[in-house]
Amino acid sequence: MNALLRTAAAALDGLLAAGAALGVAELTAAAVRRESSPIVAVGSAVIDVTPAGVKDWAIRQFGSNDKLVLQLGVLLVLALFAIALGIAALRVRRSAAAGVLAFGVIGALAATSRPDGSATDAVPSIAGALVGAGVLYGLTGALRTATDGSQDERTGVGRRRFLLGAAAVAAGSAAAGVIGRVLNTASGDAAASRAAVRLPAPVSKAAPVPKGTDLKIEGLSRFTTAAKDFYRVDTALVVPQVDARDWSLRLHGDGVKTPIEIDFDQLLARGLIERDITLNCVSSEVGGPYIGNARWLGVPLAELLRDAGVRPPSRGGPADQLVARSTDGMTIGTPVETVMDGRDAMLAVAMNGEPLTFVHGFPVRMLVPGLYGYVSACKWLTELELTTFDAYDTYWTKRDWSARAPVKTQSRIDTPKPFAKLKPGRIAVAGVAWAQHRGIDQVEVRLDDGPWQKARLAAEDSRDTWRQWVWEWDATPGSHTLTVRATDRTGATQTARRAPTRPDGATGRHSVVVNVT
């Protein structure tokens, strides 16, 4: 075997050892918990240390696929190191095997250091590393035997042993990985608990959606966003699968006279309200996609706080921040004053008439109209703590996002799309505008550098939902720029000043360039 083939075989040894380690770790994680998988643990740690600007870029470039891209990136880095260790093992077999163990230690530390981590979360990484180190040591020994000029090599026995060993490792690793992945993605008891949920009738129903709320124009966002189409932006590499029968919520902290611990059935029994509310993410740029409108069912949050003896700061309460904690360790801080000012802040249990999906926070998520999701919409909620903004920084505020983030007045052109090729004649320019908890009063469209012209507004459902609009344009040949702006009920008009998403939401006016031929 010449030197090039020998090096390639050594690189293959490294990849096979890494595959064996990951396969065993994935299978072991199924017996521990899927969040203990080293790929998930290391990926989550990478998310936590990634600068906010890089996260914004990833969301803009990859959308909801950002987590898949991250995991593929982790696998690529691991593969490169595995190749390097495999080649090094030809000279320093024990040291290279020890390098595999070092990667196991890194995975174990990443898993146990997670906010919801425990000592047992280290087991998959350690088990995988031990197997991977043994595989690398054994395959390297077989490769040396096959290429050292011995009688075995001359008869081809050594090479056959190496190839058979490599094939066996590949097959075993693939089987372990596939079985582990299947077991880790199976929802099991959690799915059964969701299927068993029977939603009580709300004590306060949402008003019927007024006629004319949905203009039903092709290319325009529907007034109600289906759960499957609703945006998802979070840091969870693996969607938590929470069994509603095991779920509970703890409410405690500064100014709480009567701490509350409540299970899911007790929460449903408190009396639910039903409301249409538009939710949007601060990571969405001007004209961006991370916004949706749904009919939510949930427990009034202010009422729960009052039952615990909580008073807002304006009435002498000592806490000005409500910290929500998720089962995956996420923390989100919300102004207590805002939660208790009369708006329909809720602990939501259903979306569009169905229990929340796992992706959108089953069994319980928080929702506060008029605030961006990162300061109000904690999914997979397990704890509420009353504290102060001075005393505690939540996940996003530690990363230079604003602690308070009311939704900005914004509008978007849904149709025509950017760079659309249109024919002359009457064209419907349409989109949505929003200013949750203030409401939209007016939308205007400008053609090129011409005057602003009023668009026709669809009927309003409530001030907490977005509002559709349309402007009829007699299109003439040429390249044209269409720009939109909205004015809310306070009289504030959407600013033209461009600002990035960080620290508290993008500003500017959405425009599209189209060609009429």
Side-chain angles (χ1 to χ4, degrees):
M1 185 180 289
N2 62 40
L4 182 59
L5 286 176
R6 191 168 186 261
T7 301
L12 177 61
D13 284 351
L15 290 173
L16 288 172
L22 291 178
V24 169
E26 192 74 20
L27 187 58
T28 308
V32 179
R33 64 183 193 119
R34 59 186 187 153
E35 290 83 0
S36 64
S37 163
I39 294 299
V40 174
V42 172
S44 298
V46 170
I47 288 176
D48 287 347
V49 300
T50 298
V54 177
K55 289 181 182 178
D56 286 350
W57 176 85
I59 291 172
R60 289 196 302 270
Q61 297 299 316
F62 307 114
S64 59
N65 292 318
D66 59 338
K67 298 166 187 65
L68 174 61
V69 172
L70 172 62
Q71 292 184 74
L72 291 175
V74 171
L75 287 172
L76 176 60
V77 171
L78 179 60
L80 293 174
F81 275 101
I83 289 171
L85 287 174
I87 295 172
L90 284 173
R91 300 188 308 274
V92 285
R93 185 159 55 141
R94 290 182 179 178
S95 297
V100 177
L101 293 176
F103 272 93
V105 171
I106 292 172
L109 290 174
T112 56
S113 63
R114 298 296 302 151
D116 59 339
S118 66
T120 57
D121 288 341
V123 173
S125 293
I126 297 301
L130 288 171
V131 171
V135 166
L136 180 60
Y137 192 86
L139 285 179
T140 302
L143 180 59
R144 284 179 174 179
T145 300
T147 59
D148 66 0
S150 67
Q151 177 66 28
D152 275 349
E153 183 205 1
R154 287 193 296 271
T155 60
V157 174
R159 291 185 184 182
R160 284 195 296 274
R161 285 176 179 170
F162 169 72
L163 292 174
L164 287 172
V169 168
S173 302
V178 169
I179 294 171
R181 177 62 64 175
V182 169
L183 292 174
N184 278 322
T185 54
S187 49
D189 292 342
S193 75
R194 181 180 180 274
V197 171
R198 297 295 177 264
L199 298 170
V203 297
S204 174
K205 289 182 62 66
V209 175
K211 185 177 180 180
T213 298
D214 197 327
L215 297 174
K216 299 181 180 178
I217 296 172
E218 184 177 356
L220 175 61
S221 301
R222 298 299 302 269
F223 175 73
T224 299
T225 309
K228 65 181 179 62
D229 299 324
F230 213 92
Y231 76 91
R232 177 198 171 193
V233 177
D234 54 53
T235 64
L237 277 183
V238 201
V239 175
Q241 305 277 321
V242 181
D243 189 327
R245 293 164 295 194
D246 298 329
W247 178 89
S248 66
L249 175 70
R250 181 184 176 217
L251 171 60
H252 65 105
D254 299 340
V256 175
K257 295 181 180 179
T258 309
I260 291 175
E261 186 151 353
I262 189 171
D263 64 25
F264 190 66
D265 289 337
Q266 290 170 332
L267 187 75
L268 294 183
R270 285 188 61 88
L272 308 180
I273 61 172
E274 182 184 59
R275 297 290 185 269
D276 293 321
I277 297 171
T278 296
L279 179 65
N280 51 312
C281 179
V282 74
S283 295
S284 199
E285 295 185 305
V286 173
Y290 303 125
I291 183 168
N293 184 66
R295 175 157 289 191
W296 306 90
L297 184 71
V299 170
L301 180 53
E303 181 180 303
L304 184 69
L305 295 178
R306 283 193 294 268
D307 286 352
V310 176
R311 292 174 297 159
S314 62
R315 296 189 178 182
D320 62 2
Q321 179 178 208
L322 177 64
V323 174
R325 289 188 174 86
S326 167
T327 188
D328 69 341
M330 172 57 67
T331 55
I332 285 178
T334 310
V336 174
E337 195 70 48
T338 302
V339 170
M340 303 186 76
D341 71 357
R343 69 187 69 200
D344 289 315
M346 68 171 73
L347 302 183
V349 297
M351 178 182 187
N352 295 338
E354 297 289 336
L356 294 171
T357 62
F358 290 111
V359 166
H360 294 300
F362 181 83
V364 180
R365 72 174 298 166
M366 196 167 122
L367 193 66
V368 183
L371 298 181
Y372 285 114
Y374 85 99
V375 294
S376 68
C378 185
K379 296 190 285 190
W380 314 296
L381 181 67
T382 60
E383 183 181 350
L384 293 171
E385 180 183 6
L386 277 296
T387 182
T388 65
F389 285 104
D390 289 337
Y392 188 82
D393 287 332
T394 54
Y395 183 92
W396 293 112
T397 53
K398 290 177 181 177
R399 290 156 177 81
D400 300 325
W401 292 85
S402 175
R404 297 170 174 83
V407 169
K408 292 178 167 60
T409 301
Q410 285 286 340
S411 54
R412 184 181 74 194
I413 298 171
D414 284 352
T415 183
K417 300 297 183 186
F419 308 112
K421 294 182 179 180
L422 309 173
K423 294 181 179 180
R426 181 60 62 94
I427 291 173
V429 180
V432 287
W434 60 91
Q436 290 97 306
H437 208 61
R438 299 185 301 280
I440 292 296
D441 190 57
Q442 178 177 272
V443 172
E444 299 165 287
V445 178
R446 184 172 65 190
L447 176 65
D448 300 322
D449 293 321
W452 289 100
Q453 302 186 58
K454 284 187 178 181
R456 177 169 64 87
L457 289 173
E460 182 182 63
D461 181 65
S462 81
R463 61 179 180 170
D464 287 334
T465 63
W466 60 10
R467 197 168 181 184
Q468 296 182 354
W469 58 267
V470 62
W471 179 65
E472 300 292 342
W473 173 37
D474 291 318
T476 57
S479 177
H480 298 285
T481 300
L482 297 162
T483 307
V484 63
R485 71 180 185 185
T487 300
D488 65 33
R489 288 251 164 71
T490 71
T493 297
Q494 181 179 346
T495 179
R497 185 179 66 85
R498 301 287 298 189
T501 56
R502 194 155 50 100
D504 60 358
T507 63
R509 293 170 181 165
H510 189 217
S511 63
V512 298
V513 176
V514 298
N515 294 296
V516 182
T517 57

